[in-house]
Amino acid sequence: MTRSVDHRVNRDWVREAVHTIEADTRRSADTHLLRIPLPAWSRWTGDDGRPAGVDLYVKDESTHPTGSLKHRLARSLFLYALCNGWIDESTTVIEASSGSTAVSEAYFAKLIGVPFVAVMAAGTSPEKVRLIERQSGRCHFVDNPADVYDVAAQLADELGGHFIDQFTMAERATDWRGNNNIAESIFDQLADERYPIPSWTVVGAGTGGTSATLGRYLRYRGHDTCLCVVDPENSVFFPAYETGDGSLRSDVGSRIEGIGRPRVEPSFVSQVIDRMLAVPDSASIAAMRFFSGLLDRRVGPSTGTNIHGALLLVAEMVASREPGSVVTLLCDPGERYATTYFDDEWLAGKGIDIDGATEALRRLWHDGRWREGEVGA
C-alpha cells in the first residue's frame, strides 16, 4: 500500500514576502564609501618619484533605512528563513537582541506583516526600545542578560513562532560569494581609487557574520587584502582567537554596544581572520567622539572601535612606508547614544576615563605615531 505525507503549502504569501523585501532593497541605494582625508604624514614620495601614501575609507552603513550595518544582516536572516520555510504569514518572529539587529528585524517583520518580539535585558536603553516599538515590534524583558537566548527559544515554542537566532545564522544567511553583500560593495566602490585592493579591512564582531562574509569573500576572489577584527573589553572573541579556546566564557558583558560577546558565537569564524586587536573601551569612546568631530556628525561606539583599529594600522603602514588603503565601517549613528557614550556623567558612572586615550589620539592625528605606553597603543 502506497503511503503519502503531503506538506505542500500555498507559496503565494512567501513569494510575495520575498518580492517585497527584494523590492525594498532595490529602493535603498547602496551605502556610501567615504574617503577620509588624513594629515600630511600619511603621504610621501616613493622611490620612483611618484606620490605614495595610505588612504583611509569608511563604509557608511548608517544610511540604511534602519540606520545601521545590521540592516544587511536582518534582510539576509529574513530571506534565509523565508526560503527555508521557517516563516509564513502566521509566524511570530523572535530574536535575542536589544540592539540594532532587533531594530532592523522589526522593520522587516513589519514590512511583510508578521509579529516581532525582541527578547532583551531589562536595562536596555529607552532609545533602543522606542526604535523597536516604532517598527511595531514588542519588547520582552529579562533580568539576566545571559538568559536572552533560552527565553527567546522558549517564547518561540510557546507562540509557535520562529527564533531567527542571529548569533547562529549570521554567517550562513549571507551569500559571501557576492550577491550585493558588503564585501562585494566595498570592492566595487574602490575600483577607481588609487589603491583599489585595500591592504586591510577592519571590522568589529558581534555575531561574527560580517567578518565571516568579508574573510570568505577575500579568499574566494583571491584578494591579498587582510582582515583585522577589533574587539572591545570583556569580550571573549580576542582571547579565544589568541588561545584557540572556543569554550571561553565571560561573566561580564561588553560595554561597547553592538560588538563583543560573553561567549564565542557559532557565527564567529576565526579561521578567516588575519589579525585581531583588543581595544580598550576608553580608546573606542575617544575615537567615537574624535571621529564625530571630524565628520561633523555623531557616530556610534562600535564605529569608534573600528576607527581606532584602522588608524593604528594606518600608522603602522606609514612607519614602514607601505603604500595602500585601509577600509572600515561606520556602523550606526551616534544619536542613539546621546544619553550614554556622549554623556560625561554616564561615562563617569561607568568608571570610564577617556582623557588619556583622547590625548593619545590627538597626538597620533598630529604626527602619525602611537607613543609606547599610551592608551590604545
Side-chain angles (χ1 to χ4, degrees):
M1 177 180 172
T2 300
R3 302 177 66 196
S4 174
V5 177
D6 194 333
H7 282 169
R8 282 180 294 179
V9 297
N10 185 337
R11 294 188 188 173
D12 288 346
W13 183 88
V14 173
R15 187 180 297 113
E16 183 58 29
V18 170
H19 174 76
T20 298
I21 292 174
E22 293 289 271
D24 180 77
T25 302
R26 283 190 290 271
R27 290 194 301 271
S28 304
D30 196 8
T31 59
H32 302 300
L33 186 67
L34 309 177
R35 186 173 181 272
I36 307 301
L38 293 172
W41 52 260
S42 68
R43 302 183 294 275
W44 64 89
T45 300
D47 295 337
D48 58 2
R50 295 182 179 180
V54 181
D55 298 331
L56 175 63
Y57 298 88
V58 175
K59 181 80 164 153
D60 185 2
E61 294 292 282
S62 71
T63 57
H64 282 298
T66 54
S68 83
L69 166 68
K70 297 301 185 181
H71 191 86
R72 294 181 188 268
L73 172 60
R75 179 174 63 217
S76 294
L77 288 169
F78 267 80
L79 288 172
Y80 191 67
L82 285 164
C83 294
N84 275 307
W86 298 336
I87 297 176
D88 61 30
E89 65 266 39
S90 62
T91 304
T92 297
V93 177
I94 297 99
E95 181 61 283
S97 170
S98 58
S100 295
T101 303
V103 176
S104 298
E105 287 176 344
Y107 171 88
F108 284 106
K110 182 179 181 180
L111 191 68
I112 64 174
V114 297
F116 176 78
V117 180
V119 179
M120 60 179 65
T124 299
S125 70
E127 290 91 346
K128 289 288 180 68
V129 172
R130 281 196 295 271
L131 287 171
I132 294 167
E133 292 178 343
R134 187 178 301 165
Q135 299 294 344
S136 301
R138 180 166 66 86
C139 299
H140 182 96
F141 299 101
V142 297
D143 292 328
N144 184 355
D147 292 339
V148 293
Y149 311 96
D150 292 339
V151 172
Q154 180 181 341
L155 266 180
D157 286 340
E158 292 175 358
L159 299 174
H162 173 60
F163 177 24
I164 204 164
D165 195 4
Q166 59 169 321
F167 296 107
T168 298
M169 299 299 172
E171 59 89 10
R172 66 193 69 172
T174 300
D175 186 351
W176 47 268
R177 288 162 294 190
N179 192 23
N180 195 35
N181 69 33
I182 192 168
E184 182 181 57
S185 175
I186 287 171
F187 279 86
D188 284 348
Q189 291 176 316
L190 283 171
D192 293 327
E193 299 300 307
R194 177 166 62 161
Y195 306 113
I197 304 299
S199 300
W200 290 96
T201 54
V202 182
V203 300
T207 62
T210 301
S211 59
T213 297
L214 279 162
R216 289 165 170 168
Y217 184 87
L218 295 174
R219 285 160 172 73
Y220 181 65
R221 293 299 181 187
H223 294 311
D224 290 331
T225 305
C226 292
L227 172 64
C228 178
V229 171
V230 286
D231 204 36
E233 293 178 32
N234 302 325
S235 173
V236 301
F237 286 140
F238 180 85
Y241 183 80
E242 183 179 38
T243 63
D245 185 358
S247 67
L248 293 178
R249 296 288 189 274
S250 172
D251 294 329
V252 184
S254 166
R255 295 186 296 185
I256 303 299
E257 284 195 32
I259 57 174
R261 299 297 302 164
R263 69 176 193 180
V264 179
E265 301 295 350
S267 285
F268 182 71
V269 184
S270 63
Q271 294 85 350
V272 303
I273 299 169
D274 297 292
R275 180 177 177 181
M276 286 197 72
L277 297 173
V279 179
D281 291 347
S282 59
S284 294
I285 298 167
M288 173 199 76
R289 291 188 173 195
F290 181 84
F291 193 60
S292 293
L294 197 65
L295 285 185
D296 198 26
R297 63 186 175 94
R298 287 181 168 184
V299 302
S302 60
T303 300
T305 313
N306 290 344
I307 290 295
H308 175 87
L311 288 176
L312 207 138
L313 293 173
V314 167
E316 288 182 359
M317 292 171 65
V318 170
S320 62
R321 284 298 187 260
E322 176 194 343
S325 57
V326 176
V327 182
T328 191
L329 307 179
L330 195 170
C331 302
D332 63 359
E335 285 73 20
R336 297 179 177 185
Y337 310 100
T339 61
T340 53
Y341 301 93
F342 283 99
D343 186 323
D344 292 339
E345 290 186 7
W346 184 88
L347 289 183
K350 296 292 183 181
I352 301 174
D353 181 358
I354 66 172
D355 290 345
T358 300
E359 184 58 30
L361 185 56
R362 286 173 179 162
R363 283 198 293 264
L364 167 70
W365 195 256
H366 181 264
D367 62 18
R369 292 187 298 112
W370 288 110
R371 290 167 175 79
E372 187 174 353
E374 287 184 324
V375 176

